[in-house]
Amino acid sequence: MISAIMPTYGSPSLAFERGEGAYLYSTEGRRYLDFASGIAVTALGHAHSHLVKALTEQVAKFWHCSNLYRIPGQERLARRLVERSFADTVFFCNSGGEAVECGLKAVRRYHDSTGNPERYRVITCTNAFHGRTLATISAGRQEKHTKGFEPLVDGFDQVPFGNLNEMRAAIGRETAAILVEPVQGEGGIRAASADYLKGLRAVADEFGLLLFFDEVQCGMGRTGRLFAHEWAGVKPDVMAVAKGIGGGFPMGACLATEAVGRHMTAGSHGSTFGGNPLACAAANAVLDVILADGFLPRVEKMGVHLRWRLEGLVAEHGSVFSEVRGRGLMLGLKCVPSNADVVQHAQDEGLLLVTAGENVVRVYPPLIVEKTQIDEGVAILDCVAAGFATPGRR
Ligand SMILES: *Cc1c(COP(=O)(O)O)cnc(C)c1O
């Protein structure tokens, strides 16, 4: 008989009861070091006092009123994101997939409104992940996500990630935009080089295309900058963010320049829940912490420490871990044994991780992680690796 929960997630057995900073406590009372962060969502760890206070205060006032009315918290959040980014304007929604959808619609609308309605196609990259809606699985075009859901939404072409020549060659008279993750997450923690991102900007300008970054996973401080593309000194025209933005409260946002956003006129797009007072209270509180003096440099510093420790694991356990990837606290370990087995064994030892493509395990501590907790996580990974390297020990 089918489970009451639709079986899309398999059937995990571990459940949690409460969290505190970088730790989660299972319903059986066991403590886990959480280097999964709910897939890069709980940026400030669990039960962060500032977030708890902000949300509790808003919960007692009111939660929702829809976008039929002004939402001062939403206005403030938008202003803060605009001040700290390339963007002039922000649309709020409830997930990463929706943020990408909004960007895709904005891209089409821009060309339609500026006299090029034939431009509707978007070029994406191999190993990309942009969400699970029909348009975003069509954009990501990974067989494991599209199988059985055809016909796909028309209007997407795909080229190898990191290859500018192939990108140029794929551009046609119907091309509207280039959509890229500055650091691919689900695809295996692959960071685009600064040269590649700069090259994409130049190609987009040359052909009159929009540059659309998907920072749903790599944005909101994960790499040590508020947005990952800042490392390359390149500005997109459109950007999707989500995951970390609400610290665990569901929220997404699509940021755009005025040139793009001004065509998203009243009535052209919308969301019932998007940017409601409760979500914006969460996101404003997250920003209070992330934008405070010294927070992002500290993320970068912790990222350097974690990378150094992970590289130590690769040096010591080359038969188990072959490579460290990523940037800041968005790091991945390429595995020799199956990454799912590594994640399972780490979980057995009290450390939560996430698998990614190309047989990588994601190591995503919360951005508030302490150095001693990084060392604690690495010690568990060391023990897991030793188990793999010594047949019979497991
Ligand atoms: C997770 C993710 C999405 C989809 O976000 P949802 O909130 O699951 O819809 C889109 N793009 C990237 C890069 C992601 O990592």
Side-chain angles (χ1 to χ4, degrees):
M1 203 178 80
I2 194 167
S3 60
I5 291 172
M6 198 177 280
T8 59
Y9 302 113
S11 41
S13 54
L14 183 59
F16 301 104
E17 193 165 73
R18 69 189 176 87
E20 198 184 308
Y23 297 97
L24 273 174
Y25 294 82
S26 75
T27 47
E28 318 213 296
R30 182 163 179 209
R31 190 177 86 157
Y32 290 83
L33 184 59
D34 183 7
F35 283 10
S37 295
I39 322 184
V41 167
T42 46
L44 304 185
H46 303 283
H48 189 284
S49 59
H50 185 66
L51 236 64
V52 170
K53 183 165 175 283
L55 270 174
T56 310
E57 280 174 16
Q58 188 62 48
V59 160
K61 289 181 189 165
F62 78 117
W63 303 2
H64 179 85
C65 59
S66 87
N67 290 292
L68 294 172
Y69 309 96
R70 279 186 58 195
I71 300 174
Q74 188 186 118
E75 291 167 6
R76 173 161 180 256
L77 180 62
R79 266 197 316 271
R80 297 173 87 187
L81 290 170
V82 162
E83 262 164 33
R84 294 294 301 241
S85 73
F86 73 95
D88 303 308
T89 190
V90 187
F91 178 85
F92 292 104
C93 49
N94 317 285
S95 67
E98 281 174 277
V100 176
E101 283 270 354
C102 175
L104 292 171
K105 286 177 73 175
V107 158
R108 288 191 176 187
R109 185 102 173 169
Y110 166 83
H111 287 292
D112 186 74
S113 307
T114 54
N116 299 295
E118 75 285 358
R119 291 189 176 227
Y120 73 100
R121 303 193 70 82
V122 174
I123 306 176
T124 66
C125 289
T126 47
N127 278 25
F129 182 75
H130 300 298
R132 300 292 206 138
T133 66
L134 268 176
T136 56
I137 60 171
S138 306
R141 222 200 278 167
Q142 295 205 43
E143 156 119 31
K144 62 183 180 213
H145 299 141
T146 59
K147 194 176 175 316
F149 299 123
E150 295 91 352
L152 298 181
V153 173
D154 178 38
F156 296 98
D157 301 297
Q158 202 165 58
V159 298
F161 182 67
N163 188 323
L164 276 176
N165 289 334
E166 300 239 22
M167 181 62 75
R168 292 182 74 94
I171 295 169
R173 61 178 291 277
E174 295 180 337
T175 306
I178 295 168
L179 168 58
V180 169
E181 296 157 81
V183 184
Q184 286 192 331
E186 308 298 311
I189 322 298
R190 302 198 301 172
S193 70
D195 282 347
Y196 181 60
L197 296 181
K198 284 186 182 131
L200 291 180
R201 180 71 268 176
V203 168
D205 291 344
E206 182 184 339
F207 290 92
L209 314 180
L210 296 176
L211 184 59
F212 180 0
F213 286 154
D214 181 347
E215 293 227 14
V216 168
Q217 192 157 157
C218 61
M220 299 313 296
R222 186 54 42 196
T223 66
R225 292 281 175 95
L226 187 56
F227 301 112
H229 68 263
E230 293 172 18
W231 288 109
V234 165
K235 291 179 177 166
D237 304 293
V238 184
M239 177 172 71
V241 295
K243 292 202 164 85
I245 193 172
F249 198 95
M251 177 180 252
C254 180
L255 285 70
T257 59
E258 180 169 5
V260 176
R262 70 194 180 90
H263 303 293
M264 298 297 279
T265 49
S268 65
H269 191 53
S271 164
T272 300
F273 294 118
N276 87 3
L278 201 50
C280 290
N284 273 310
V286 167
L287 272 189
D288 291 342
V289 176
I290 290 186
L291 295 182
D293 259 1
F295 185 88
L296 287 171
R298 189 184 168 283
V299 170
E300 188 186 351
K301 221 170 97 192
M302 289 300 137
V304 168
H305 180 67
L306 177 57
R307 171 177 275 275
W308 173 67
R309 294 299 320 268
L310 295 179
E311 270 162 5
L313 288 177
V314 170
E316 186 152 345
H317 304 284
S319 66
V320 182
F321 300 127
S322 61
E323 186 191 345
V324 183
R325 298 175 169 193
R327 176 149 222 172
L329 289 174
M330 184 172 182
L331 294 178
L333 268 173
K334 192 163 164 65
C335 301
V336 179
S338 135
N339 57 351
D341 288 347
V342 171
V343 168
Q344 183 58 53
H345 290 160
Q347 182 179 307
D348 295 344
E349 302 293 332
L351 173 68
L352 306 177
L353 303 167
V354 196
T355 59
E358 300 197 333
N359 207 37
V360 167
V361 293
R362 281 177 268 193
V363 187
Y364 284 7
L367 306 185
I368 48 93
V369 72
E370 304 281 339
K371 205 167 164 192
T372 52
Q373 293 166 336
I374 288 176
D375 293 339
E376 184 187 339
V378 170
I380 295 175
L381 277 167
D382 187 57
C383 169
V384 167
F388 275 100
T390 319
R393 245 186 80 179
R394 295 214 84 96

